[in-house]
Every structure is written in structure tokens, then in C-alpha cells.
Amino acid sequence: MQHRAHEHPSHHEPAARGGQGHDPAPCAHGHHGHAAAAPPPAVTAGTKVEWTCPMHPEIVRDAPGNCPICGMALEPRTATLEDVENVHLKDMTRRFWLSVALSLPLVAAAMAEMVWGAAFRHAVNEGLFAWGQLAAATPVVLWGGWPFFERAWVSFRTLRLNMYSLIGLGVAVAYLFSVFAVLFPGALPEAFKAHGLVPLYFEAAAVITTLVLLGEVLELRARSQTSSAVRALLGLAPNTAIRVAADGAEREVTLAEVQPGERLRVRPGAKVPVDGVVLEGHSVVDESMITGESVPVAKRAGDPVTGATVNQTGTFVMRAEKVGADTLLAQIAHLVSEAARSRAPIQRLADLVSSWFVPGVIAIAAVAALVWWLVGPQPALANALVVAVSVLIIACPCALGLATPISVMVGVGRGALDGVLIKDAEALELMEQVTTLVVDKTGTLTEGKPAVQAVEAGGEEPEPEVLRLAASLERASEHPLAAAIVAAAEARGLALAPVSDFASVTGKGVRGTIAGRRVLIGNAALLADERIDAARLADRAQALQSAGQTVMFVAVDGRAAGLVGVADPIKASTPEAIRALREAGVRIVMLTGDNRRTAQAVATQLGLADFVAEVLPQDKHRVVRELQAKGEVVAMAGDGVNDAPALAQANVGIAMGHGTDIAMQSARIVLVKGDLRGIAKARRLSRATMGNIRQNLFFAFVYNALGVPVAAGVLFPWLGLLLSPMIASAAMSLSSVSVIGNALRLRKATL
């Protein structure tokens, strides 16, 4: 009977897995609050919205603005039910469309000049033509592109060079040169002139700005889809609830008015307003939104219910337990929102490359311009300027900056659709590297709902009396195995007796007095301490343990009276999940507080070669640490309070969605359905996402490796090809679009 001796530190402590059968709170979905768990930001209507930088999440502000580090627009950090206006998307969209309208005439004029050459500028009034370009380009560059100049200035001022450094520098050079040429054409040397005319780059500056604005709008729209998904998730909750007063009067109130402890009426066809427990009545509830199971679940007094699930046939009164930001729905929305903004360690590679890449590009642009000025064909200075601007623009590392976060965002959203909630990008990256999965047995491999399988008499007491005495004593305990014994006695209609002098013997069992008789129930060690001979029950106990049951001995007045066998059935999905993980090359180690014989039976049934039995709660943390010391990348899956240290120690902690809050807060991945197959899905999602990121980084690096030399003019001696800054800008935008398009493929990934 080693399960009780080791899996729980004290027989009278609350059950580590939500206290099945004793705790009326909705622990089946992990809703109990714990002081150690930091609450997520509020997510209900009327909350204060915080803003953060997508590239620097440590920057948090109370209002929209720009990041002081990189200059990027801040976005909402707090998931809210309210449709928070994306002021940056609206602003950038307005700037983009005005820029399009003013850039089109410039493009048309540039094309006409390319077709007819200098004759076109001589045919039209040259001065009027130049001033017309200046008038059209100035609003585009100075108003449309002003956010980019601000970000570029911040990057140079803080010495944190980024893509805006190159954009700002390139556009500024092209625009300011053209302005100078219009205002002071006679001040420019002949080396700048072609056919006696000074080339103008207003169309390049305007089109570059417009294309960058297009990329900005596309990225902001992609990011806003995450917020829309979170709002849609929160919107699954009803807007109102029916409050039942102490005198029985019912009144409809808004969801924001509902407080914990209040009684609420749920009518047929209505959504459950908040997380809580049924007090009166019975019904069946469609929980497919949370669990993915299509079969409705019967609910009666004492059963937990989850907000936003749909009541079907009956009506019931529930007690509100978790409201607002504490509900499971709100926690899921918070996890999705936070994970979409987190950064994978691989992003550090992109950041490191960018920190050296941008100064390198500026140096290359300067060297290329110098070479063209000294040895290039006429107009030498004009060509040098074209080359410098083209290099700066085509090398813009926006694709490099998008490569990781866009894939993480899409990958996290894809996982959420299948009930795999990724808390941070690092967990998503590490999951594919996992070599060993450590799984807690109870509640993870098994249903976590122990049931009595055998009751046997071994003395003068008949079997019903053995069960009645055991259940009477266990009723004072909160252990899940105790709950199973009490439930079995109640199911048989046995009348339980009051207990006096109840005491718990840590790690061994409990004792007490029932109707003047001294009764105890526990493991063999407890009987040995009391010097009670249980030899005649030993063979039967071993047989039950070999069948995977946890055995508890019952003694009355100093004599062995019988035993009770309890088993926790294995989840139907567990064998399939284990098979999928083993095929993926993951070693699986089962941890259990059961004795070795019982653990061996479960391991044999599941085909597991590695297991550790008789594990104390503190030992789980040690086992994980020892595996890590051997070089293993460890994922730990559990659902109880005593799993929390191991979940936090593991490289990737994975919590079952029905587990306790402390387990869910300690873990980095939460499986909403509590299905071990979700781990295999998380691994496949990790591999797909990381593969996608590597593809994006490859596209970005190769693009720049090929684009910069072409923009610098290395092909000119052989092909006479000199890249226009406008074409360079289009190519730069195309690279960003290709990265976004590749990342969006993750939405159709098969998990």
C-alpha cells in the first residue's frame, strides 16, 4: 500500500490533484487560487489596457506610443473583451493610402521618363516638372514616412541600429538630394548630371516610403488577428447571469457584477456564466468548447461547471467560484495573448546578426558609393548616390525581424485551436529538442479518479462492515483514495458512522475510534508500527498490487480485518499518446508514489520500460534534475500541487488542463483537454514552427546575401545592370511578404 505512503506527504492534507470527491470547487479545470500563482492581467470589459513593444516585451506603457528602444509602435498587452481600437493600424493605413495616391503620379512620370528619356523632361516644363514632384513627394516622405524617421533617429541616438536605420537613411538621402537639386540646381557638379539634367529621386523616396508603409500595415493587421482571436475567445462567455438572492428572488445582472460565492440560475439552452459548482438541480452540459469532447457531460450537485459551456436539458443553481480574469476561459485567452508576444531564443540569433548587419550595410553602401564615384561611368556622383540608396534599402532587415515573431504568433494560435496552450516562445522552441518525457501517473496517464475495485475480509468482520468502517474513517480525510472508499460505501447504501479521536499518520494512513472500536486503515508500515499481524492478507494484497491496484489494510481493535483495493483506470488515449511519442524518439519515464509492484503492473500494461516507484513529492523535482544532469532535455507532465516543483525544474513543464492552478502556473505548456496526446501534438507543432522559423531566417539571410551585391552594382560590368532604389524597395517588401506568407502556412499544419 505504498501509494499512500509516498505520493502524498500527509494523509489528511488536501488532495494534490484537486481533491476529487471532496472539494466542490471546479478543480477539474484547474480553478483553485494559490498564493504562489501570480494572477493574469484582467481580461474583462472595462479593464485598463496596457501597451507593450512586440520586439521588447519588457517595455510596458499605459497608453499607445512608440518603443523607446527600437521605435516600433506599441500594441495592446492586456487581453480585453472590448474591441480596443488599434490606433497604429488606423494611422498607418491612413498614411499608406495617401502615400499611394501621391506616389502613383510620380511612378507614372518616372515610367514616362524611362521610355522617352530626357526628351520627356524637355517636352514638359523642367522647372514645373521638378516642383510638381517635390510637391507630391514631400507629404509622402515627411508625413507618411515620419514614424520611420522617428524610429531611425531613436536607433542612431541609442546606438541600437535596426531596419529603420537603413530605411530612414536611404529615404532621407534620396529625398534631401532631390530637394537640393530642385532648389539649387546650379550648385551641383557636372558629375551628377546626365544629358545636362540633374536626376531626381522623388519617386524612389516616395515609393520606398509607400512600400514600407504597406509592410507595416500588413504586419499590424497580422498582429491584430491575435487580439481578435482573443476577443472572440472571451466573447464566448455570456453577457449576463441570473443571480438568485437569499430569499429566492431572481434578477438578471451583467457578468461584471457577479461576485464569487453568489448563487446563479442556469436555464436550459443558456451558457454557464462563470466557473463554479452545481448546488441544486441536474442537467447535461456541452463542454466541447473546453474539452473537445462531443458527448455532453451530466452535472448534478457537487459537480464543477465551466464558464461559457452550454447547458442543455435541465436547470440548476450554481455557486460562482471564479469570475472575471480568474475563469478558465480568461486564463486561456491570457496565455494565448502572452505567448504570441514572447520571443524564442532563436530570435537572439536574428538580433545578434542585425546588430552587426546594419553597421556593415552602412559601411558597404559607403564603400560602394566611393567606388562608383571614383571609377564608375558618368554621371559618377549620381550613380554613386543610386548605389548607396539601393544598398541601404534592399538590405533592410525587416524580413529578418519578422522571421521569428510572425511564425511564433501563427504557431501559438494553431496550437490553441487544438487545445495546446503555449505560454512562451522558448517552450515552443525547446519542445522539439525534448529527449525524455517524465510523466506523473495519477491524473496524467490515468483518469485521476480512483475507484474501489476490491473489498476483502480477513477476520471476523464481513466485507460490507470492512468497507463501512473504512469509509467512516476516511470520510474525515481529504485524500483522493479516501474519497473513492467513501463513494463506494455510499454507492452500496452503507450507513457511515461518526468518528472520534481521528488522527493522520503522515505517509502511512489514518486511525480513529468508531462506536468505541479502534479502527485504522493504511499501509503495511502502519500495521507494523501497531504490531498488527497481516500475514494472512499478504498474498492477496500482492495479487491485487500485481494487477495495478493500490491496497489499504483495515484493522479493528488490534486485529487485521481485511483490505480494500483501489485502482485508477488508465485513460483511453494514453496508449496512443505513448506510442506516438516513442515513435518520435522520446524516452518516457513514469513517476508514481505507488509501490514497485503496482507501478510495474501499470508500466507493463502501457509498455513502459522506465519508471520510478515510491516517489515522494520532493523526489519528483530531484528525478528531473538528475536526468538533466545526464544531458537530457526533459519535459515533465503533471497536474497536481506536488508536481509544481518538477514542472518548474523541467526544461518544458506541461500541465493537464484539469489540474490545479499552481501546476498550470508552473508549467509552460497547458493541455486544455488533459489528454496526453496533446504532448505529441505540442512536439509536432514545435517541429513545424521551428522549421518554419529556420526557413524564414534562411530566406532573409539569402535574400540579403544576394541583394546587397546586386544593389552595389557588381553585375554592372557584365550585364550593365544597376538597381533602381525603387526596385530595391519593392524587392525588400517582397522579402517581408514571402516571410509572412511562409509563416501563415503553419495555420494548416497537421497536428
Side-chain angles (χ1 to χ4, degrees):
M1 208 272 316
Q2 299 300 314
H3 178 90
R4 298 182 66 157
H6 295 283
E7 185 149 356
H8 302 279
S10 173
H11 191 81
H12 72 282
E13 290 176 0
R17 290 173 175 78
Q20 290 94 338
H22 286 284
D23 191 347
C27 55
H29 297 297
H31 295 165
H32 291 295
H34 296 272
V43 290
T44 52
T47 56
K48 182 179 180 181
V49 179
E50 293 180 330
W51 301 76
T52 187
C53 173
M55 299 301 292
H56 299 92
E58 68 273 17
I59 301 299
V60 179
R61 296 290 185 266
D62 294 334
N66 294 327
C67 175
I69 296 177
C70 65
M72 288 190 68
L74 302 181
E75 60 183 28
R77 174 177 180 264
T78 312
T80 65
L81 184 57
E82 296 173 336
D83 189 2
V84 179
E85 184 180 28
N86 192 327
V87 293
H88 291 294
L89 176 57
K90 184 177 180 180
D91 179 54
M92 287 296 177
T93 302
R94 185 168 55 245
R95 293 175 190 268
F96 168 70
W97 285 115
L98 179 64
S99 298
V100 168
L102 294 176
S103 296
L104 286 177
L106 292 171
V107 172
M111 292 178 65
E113 189 173 2
M114 289 173 61
V115 173
W116 291 295
F120 172 78
R121 289 179 64 179
H122 286 299
V124 299
N125 184 291
E126 181 182 349
L128 183 61
F129 178 66
W131 281 98
Q133 290 187 82
L134 173 60
T138 297
V140 176
V141 174
L142 297 187
W143 182 74
W146 187 252
F148 308 139
F149 289 124
E150 287 184 321
R151 297 172 191 180
W153 169 247
V154 170
S155 71
F156 284 112
R157 181 171 53 82
T158 60
L159 296 181
R160 291 174 176 263
L161 302 184
N162 53 40
M163 65 187 226
Y164 298 108
S165 311
L166 300 183
I167 293 171
L169 196 58
V171 172
V173 169
Y175 175 75
L176 292 176
F177 170 81
S178 301
V179 170
F180 187 87
V182 171
L183 297 178
F184 311 103
L188 292 172
E190 289 298 320
F192 268 112
K193 298 179 180 179
H195 308 290
L197 299 174
V198 177
L200 301 177
Y201 302 105
F202 285 119
E203 85 286 346
V207 172
I208 290 168
T209 301
T210 303
L211 290 172
V212 175
L213 282 168
L214 173 61
E216 192 82 5
V217 168
L218 291 175
E219 182 182 353
L220 287 170
R221 281 185 178 175
R223 289 189 175 279
S224 69
Q225 288 176 359
T226 299
S227 299
S228 298
V230 171
R231 284 195 298 273
L233 194 60
L234 293 172
L236 294 174
N239 296 321
T240 61
I242 299 175
R243 178 189 289 158
V244 181
D247 59 0
E250 299 182 0
R251 185 169 68 90
E252 189 173 38
V253 297
T254 64
L255 210 58
E257 295 180 68
V258 176
Q259 299 297 320
E262 291 185 336
R263 288 156 43 95
L264 306 174
R265 168 80 63 184
V266 183
R267 293 170 177 163
K271 289 184 177 181
V272 178
V274 295
D275 298 351
V277 61
V278 177
L279 296 177
E280 305 170 9
H282 58 85
S283 182
V284 292
V285 176
D286 179 3
E287 296 186 331
S288 59
M289 182 271 290
I290 295 293
T291 65
E293 299 296 333
S294 58
V295 180
V297 181
K299 299 290 182 180
R300 54 182 55 85
D303 289 339
V305 286
T306 305
T309 55
V310 181
N311 181 33
Q312 293 194 330
T313 56
T315 181
F316 59 86
V317 175
M318 62 172 287
R319 181 176 65 245
E321 297 283 347
K322 297 292 182 181
V323 303
D326 295 328
T327 64
L328 176 65
L329 189 66
Q331 290 176 357
I332 291 173
H334 171 67
L335 291 178
V336 173
S337 181
E338 287 293 303
R341 286 190 302 272
S342 61
R343 309 184 74 197
I346 197 171
Q347 176 67 31
R348 298 177 195 140
L349 172 63
D351 293 343
L352 179 63
V353 170
S354 293
S355 66
W356 289 95
F357 179 76
V358 174
V361 167
I362 294 174
I364 291 172
V367 171
L370 182 63
V371 170
W372 275 87
W373 179 29
L374 296 177
V375 300
Q378 294 298 321
L381 286 177
N383 287 336
L385 181 65
V386 168
V387 166
V389 173
S390 296
V391 169
L392 291 173
I393 296 302
I394 202 169
C396 173
C398 49
L400 200 60
L402 282 173
T404 297
I406 194 71
S407 295
V408 167
M409 182 182 68
V410 178
V412 166
R414 177 65 185 87
L417 291 177
D418 271 44
V420 180
L421 301 182
I422 313 293
K423 282 190 178 184
D424 60 72
E426 185 176 14
L428 187 62
E429 177 174 341
L430 287 174
M431 195 61 202
E432 72 161 354
Q433 304 172 24
V434 167
T435 58
T436 300
L437 172 65
V438 177
V439 290
D440 175 58
K441 178 179 76 70
T442 306
T444 304
L445 296 176
T446 65
E447 295 286 354
K449 299 177 180 178
V452 172
Q453 304 294 321
V455 180
E456 300 191 11
E460 300 176 357
E461 311 294 338
E463 287 183 7
E465 182 64 10
V466 170
L467 179 59
R468 188 185 76 87
L469 292 173
S472 298
L473 189 58
E474 291 284 24
R475 186 167 57 173
S477 170
E478 293 185 351
H479 195 281
L481 297 186
I485 295 173
V486 173
E490 291 176 344
R492 299 188 188 188
L494 301 177
L496 304 187
V499 178
S500 60
D501 301 326
F502 176 85
S504 172
V505 183
T506 302
K508 296 181 180 180
V510 294
R511 64 163 69 94
T513 301
I514 302 176
R517 308 175 73 184
R518 187 166 170 270
V519 181
L520 62 84
I521 177 171
N523 57 20
L526 180 61
L527 268 64
D529 290 347
E530 299 288 334
R531 299 188 178 184
I532 298 174
D533 183 13
R536 61 176 178 237
L537 297 173
D539 291 343
R540 186 55 185 156
Q542 290 182 8
L544 294 177
Q545 289 169 348
S546 297
Q549 295 185 32
T550 297
V551 176
M552 286 157 282
F553 295 94
V554 181
V556 180
D557 291 333
R559 293 189 301 274
L563 54 80
V564 178
V566 178
D568 187 4
I570 293 173
K571 292 179 181 178
S573 60
T574 295
E576 178 187 345
I578 289 176
R579 184 166 55 253
L581 290 166
R582 293 174 69 175
E583 289 175 355
V586 179
R587 173 192 176 197
I588 302 174
V589 178
M590 181 185 76
L591 298 185
T592 179
D594 278 341
N595 63 63
R596 184 173 180 81
R597 187 177 291 110
T598 302
Q600 179 70 65
V602 175
T604 300
Q605 186 176 349
L606 293 174
L608 297 177
D610 299 310
F611 66 91
V612 183
E614 302 180 2
V615 178
L616 294 170
Q618 59 268 30
D619 290 337
K620 296 180 180 182
H621 178 272
R622 176 183 53 78
V623 170
V624 171
R625 195 168 58 244
E626 289 175 352
L627 288 169
Q628 290 172 325
K630 296 177 182 178
E632 302 284 348
V633 179
V634 181
M636 166 71 187
D639 67 341
V641 172
N642 59 0
D643 296 325
L647 290 171
Q649 173 66 32
N651 299 91
V652 182
I654 304 171
M656 301 294 110
H658 58 259
T660 57
D661 275 0
I662 188 65
M664 294 176 71
Q665 292 290 344
S666 300
R668 306 175 76 177
I669 295 177
V670 177
L671 306 181
V672 175
K673 301 175 185 177
D675 188 337
L676 207 62
R677 289 175 296 186
I679 298 178
K681 290 182 179 180
R683 186 173 172 84
R684 286 193 286 268
L685 177 64
S686 174
R687 298 185 68 174
T689 303
M690 296 312 300
N692 194 272
I693 289 174
R694 294 186 188 102
Q695 292 166 7
N696 285 346
L697 290 175
F698 176 79
F699 290 155
F701 284 134
V702 169
Y703 163 81
N704 284 303
L706 296 177
V708 170
V710 172
V714 296
L715 298 180
F716 186 83
W718 298 278
L719 302 178
L721 178 63
L722 188 60
L723 206 61
S724 162
M726 190 165 57
I727 302 300
S729 180
M732 178 269 293
S733 297
L734 183 62
S735 71
S736 298
V737 171
S738 66
V739 164
I740 294 173
N742 187 52
L744 291 177
R745 292 192 306 111
L746 283 172
R747 293 188 299 183
K748 298 182 180 180
T750 301
L751 302 183

